[in-house]
Amino acid sequence: MVLRRTNTASDLQSPGRLAELLDREAYLADEGLATAAFLALRMGRPLFLEGEAGVGKTELARTLAAVLDAPLIRLQCYEGLDGSQVLYDWDFARQLLHLKAAEAGGVTDAARLEGEVYDRRFLIARPLLRALETQPCVLLIDEIDRADVEFEAILLEVLSDFAISIPELGTVRARTPPVVVLTSNRTREVHDALKRRCLYHWLEHPSFEREVAILLRRLPECSATLAEQVAAAARRLREADLVKPPGIAETLDWTEALLTLGARELDPALAAATLGALLKHREDHEAVLAGGFPGASRG
């Protein structure tokens, strides 16, 4: 049996080396993204990724976890997220059962009981605390722009000191800080105080050549002709006035749908039939179908 060697940040001697390792996991990073990720790993700083939905922000975190052979801990942000959902919470049901059992056993020492119910075994670790206690790991804080502004304050202590203060137990501090990736679709601006703690990178839609390469890498059964036609169509749609232009995630879904139907080339009828894999708004469907599908071969 051949054991897989675990990569660490210190093993990565250059952005090019990181790009090679990402490529082995079928993630094709350009020079700018590979450099930003390399610096975040070597400097021990969180990486803040902004860009349109579907350009590969979340996938980068997943792929980094694969490259480092480390668990991925994902915190999906949403409106109303609070500390008990991201830091820790006490298991009140188990604490109550413990108190009842102690009472049945004749224990009456209040100080002893209080110390027992606030023991670590009754603490439920939420994503941020789990990330500090798991070495190594990759912590993905996904779509932070969907959370309330107040949630950002919770992250400041964690990302500054990689520590969480628990009044009943003290401070939990990571021996080895997790690799942290934050993503944002920029539905709102994230506060500068949080961004200052991070390295920043904006992810663009891939170039035509890179998108073709991604399609061929992720879907080996795809022909070069189909990959080029799909990438050309996606490129033209991103230049159109659509509610939600397709990202690389959608072009991958669309190509897979076309391949499932046995397509070797893109024709208007098949493109229209599979449009739901590419565009997710009715208005975009109507606009594209009314104007003729871009990039389809008519030959």
Side-chain angles (χ1 to χ4, degrees):
M1 180 177 65
V2 178
L3 295 178
R4 176 179 175 179
R5 183 178 182 275
T6 300
N7 295 295
T8 64
S10 60
D11 294 326
L12 306 174
Q13 299 302 316
S14 68
R17 175 57 179 162
L18 176 57
E20 290 175 8
L21 293 172
L22 292 171
D23 179 76
R24 291 181 186 178
E25 303 293 337
Y27 189 99
L28 304 185
D30 61 22
E31 183 179 1
L33 179 57
T35 301
F38 170 78
L39 291 174
L41 289 170
R42 292 300 298 269
M43 296 169 64
R45 298 281 295 278
L47 178 60
F48 191 101
L49 299 176
E50 274 192 328
E52 300 291 337
V55 294
K57 302 184 296 295
T58 300
E59 190 62 25
L60 176 65
R62 292 196 186 103
T63 310
L64 283 174
V67 165
L68 299 172
D69 196 22
L72 175 70
I73 298 176
R74 179 174 180 173
L75 171 57
Q76 179 63 52
C77 298
Y78 55 87
E79 187 177 351
L81 201 60
D82 62 28
S84 65
Q85 296 164 312
V86 301
L87 296 170
Y88 64 89
D89 202 2
W90 290 103
D91 191 337
F92 297 115
R94 289 187 62 211
Q95 286 175 318
L96 182 58
L97 287 173
H98 178 77
L99 289 174
K100 288 182 176 180
E103 181 182 337
V107 179
T108 58
D109 186 337
R112 172 186 166 184
L113 289 174
E114 182 178 356
E116 289 180 350
V117 296
Y118 286 109
D119 186 77
R120 179 63 181 83
R121 60 189 166 133
F122 296 117
L123 190 72
I124 302 172
R126 302 302 187 192
L128 294 183
L129 180 57
R130 289 209 319 272
L132 297 187
E133 294 183 323
T134 305
Q135 280 97 35
C137 77
V138 175
L139 171 62
L140 168 61
I141 303 173
D142 212 9
E143 297 184 323
I144 190 173
D145 52 319
R146 293 183 178 273
D148 300 319
V149 175
E150 293 76 13
F151 170 68
E152 296 177 28
I154 296 175
L155 292 177
L156 293 181
E157 179 187 14
V158 178
L159 298 185
S160 295
D161 305 322
F162 292 105
I164 291 175
S165 299
I166 303 174
E168 299 85 354
L169 295 178
T171 299
V172 177
R173 192 178 305 275
R175 293 192 304 274
T176 302
V179 175
V180 182
V181 177
L182 301 94
T183 76
S184 169
N185 296 332
R186 208 173 187 180
T187 58
R188 70 167 177 85
E189 286 293 334
V190 174
H191 199 278
D192 286 343
L194 182 59
K195 284 188 173 182
R196 277 198 303 270
R197 287 159 173 79
C198 307
L199 299 182
Y200 177 88
H201 186 76
W202 174 268
L203 260 72
E204 299 281 0
H205 289 291
S207 66
F208 171 78
E209 293 77 12
R210 183 167 296 276
E211 188 152 22
V212 170
I214 291 171
L215 292 173
L216 295 175
R217 184 77 168 81
R218 298 293 293 270
L219 300 168
E221 67 274 27
C222 179
S223 67
T225 298
L226 181 60
E228 290 172 0
Q229 291 174 336
V230 166
R235 187 176 184 83
R236 289 184 59 186
L237 288 173
R238 289 170 192 146
E239 296 170 352
D241 185 21
L242 298 180
V243 175
K244 171 58 180 70
I248 183 60
E250 285 78 23
T251 58
L252 282 165
D253 285 345
W254 188 36
T255 306
E256 186 174 358
L258 292 166
L259 291 171
T260 300
L261 295 177
R264 299 292 297 173
E265 294 186 354
L266 186 62
D267 64 77
L270 199 56
T274 55
L275 199 54
L278 185 67
L279 302 176
K280 308 302 170 68
H281 289 269
R282 178 185 176 185
E283 297 88 342
D284 291 345
H285 279 234
E286 292 175 346
V288 168
L289 293 175
F293 204 92
S297 172
R298 300 178 184 274

